[in-house]
Amino acid sequence: MQHTFTAPITTRMPISPTAQAVLLEGQDAIAFAQSQFTSQVTALPNGQWQFSSWLDAQGRVRVLFHLARLDDQRLLLVLRGGDATTFAEALRRFVFRSRVKVVIADAWTLGNAPAMPMHIVDANSDVIRLGCGTHTLQLSANAGDNDSWRIAQLHAGWPWLPDDALNEFIPPALSLHRLGAIALDKGCYPGQEIVARLHYRGGNKRHLHRVQLSTSVSDGTALLRNDREFVRLLDVIAHAERVEALAVIADDVASNISQDMENVSDDGIEVKLLDSWQS
């Protein structure tokens, strides 16, 4: 059945969120991160950042973050969802004899700044800027109310994970390979065998999409169809008289939605595909 797509009643951009960030400091900070996280940390130069993640033993993403190398012995991890205290406490259990401290970073807020080249880090004592190409993500004591970075990152397919989406998705479902967050040519890290198996043998049947919704709902909402999960929303943003979201969708369901088939949830929310990322 063909449905008429309706515009949302309200528009809003979320207020500037508090930055959840963790510092790794010490002689073994780089080696420790290389052994725990999914990206190629040792290849990251000082003054640059990369996407990375921390997986559980089943290969599910516990935390997704920007990993910025401040110098030879310091890494800053800016979380894309989740709580810094919880993350730091869990990570400390793996330190053992490594000469590294896991420290919760200062209480910054996130905001927008003039564009800097992709992956560049500009850090001083009270402001840290992460270059994102079309914009810059700024961590500072007073980031203001400019949240245009959020919609820019949503359009780029950079997922932000609500609390109930942590420990749920494997990296291909979030298209983390495309972001360079997954290294297949490095040593072992938690979940590495699962990542390699999925990459070389396949098996993942869900991917990341940008969608438009007929009305606004909360981040992390699972839309149902015939009482079964139909679309799993991540970050949801209302802007410019429309509601957009990043969503994890099964491949067969996404195909139906793209053809305007089975694109309405049980509670009447219409879904339209805008972009898709398959890797």
Side-chain angles (χ1 to χ4, degrees):
M1 178 181 296
Q2 184 73 29
H3 293 271
T4 301
F5 206 85
T6 56
I9 296 173
T10 60
T11 62
R12 63 177 174 81
M13 288 292 286
I15 60 173
S16 296
T18 300
Q20 296 290 325
V22 168
L23 280 163
L24 301 184
E25 302 176 327
Q27 295 180 17
D28 294 336
I30 308 302
F32 175 75
Q34 176 77 354
S35 70
Q36 290 295 321
F37 305 146
T38 58
S39 59
Q40 192 65 268
V41 181
T42 55
L44 183 66
N46 291 343
Q48 293 195 19
W49 69 268
Q50 61 186 195
F51 285 107
S52 193
S53 63
W54 192 38
L55 309 183
D56 65 16
Q58 289 72 46
R60 294 174 300 219
V61 178
R62 303 178 70 172
V63 189
L64 174 65
F65 46 87
H66 302 264
L67 189 155
R69 183 163 176 169
L70 303 181
D71 54 43
D72 288 341
Q73 297 188 14
R74 289 190 305 153
L75 294 169
L76 175 68
L77 283 54
V78 182
L79 278 58
R80 296 187 63 82
D83 174 70
T85 299
T86 302
F87 175 44
E89 289 174 353
L91 198 58
R92 288 183 186 120
R93 300 190 188 108
F94 295 86
V95 169
F96 303 120
R97 295 192 178 96
S98 296
R99 293 165 296 180
V100 58
K101 293 193 299 182
V102 182
V103 181
I104 299 171
D106 293 339
W108 291 309
T109 55
L110 295 174
N112 198 48
M116 295 191 331
M118 188 72 171
H119 299 303
I120 295 298
V121 177
D122 177 22
N124 57 52
S125 60
D126 56 357
V127 177
I128 294 178
R129 298 182 179 91
L130 306 181
C132 301
T134 62
H135 64 285
T136 291
L137 183 60
Q138 178 171 294
L139 291 76
S140 60
N142 182 15
D145 59 359
N146 185 345
D147 283 323
S148 59
W149 63 272
R150 296 205 65 181
I151 195 64
Q153 295 187 1
L154 187 147
H155 285 178
W158 297 4
W160 192 281
L161 300 182
D163 289 347
D164 56 2
L166 302 173
N167 301 292
E168 180 172 346
F169 296 110
I170 56 176
L174 299 171
S175 300
L176 296 190
H177 291 76
R178 177 183 61 90
L179 298 181
I182 305 296
L184 297 167
D185 57 348
K186 60 179 279 187
C188 291
Y189 53 84
Q192 184 266 342
E193 290 184 4
I194 307 297
V195 168
R197 186 181 309 129
L198 287 168
H199 179 77
Y200 293 113
R201 299 183 184 177
N204 174 59
K205 299 183 185 303
R206 294 195 293 177
H207 290 93
L208 188 70
H209 303 264
R210 179 168 67 99
V211 300
Q212 184 176 339
L213 305 174
S214 59
T215 190
S216 187
V217 296
S218 299
D219 293 350
T221 295
L223 300 181
L224 305 181
R225 183 175 174 83
N226 299 325
D227 294 323
R228 301 181 63 180
E229 185 170 303
F230 151 65
V231 171
R232 181 60 183 278
L233 301 172
L234 301 178
D235 39 339
V236 180
I237 299 178
H239 74 106
E241 301 300 326
R242 63 193 287 176
V243 177
E244 294 186 28
L246 290 182
V248 177
I249 309 174
D251 294 343
D252 57 340
V253 173
S255 177
N256 287 340
I257 293 174
S258 69
Q259 300 174 63
D260 290 328
M261 300 165 52
E262 300 181 359
N263 63 338
V264 181
S265 69
D266 287 344
D267 50 0
I269 297 175
E270 301 170 53
V271 180
K272 177 181 179 182
L273 288 190
L274 301 176
D275 272 316
S276 300
W277 297 278
Q278 297 296 317
S279 62

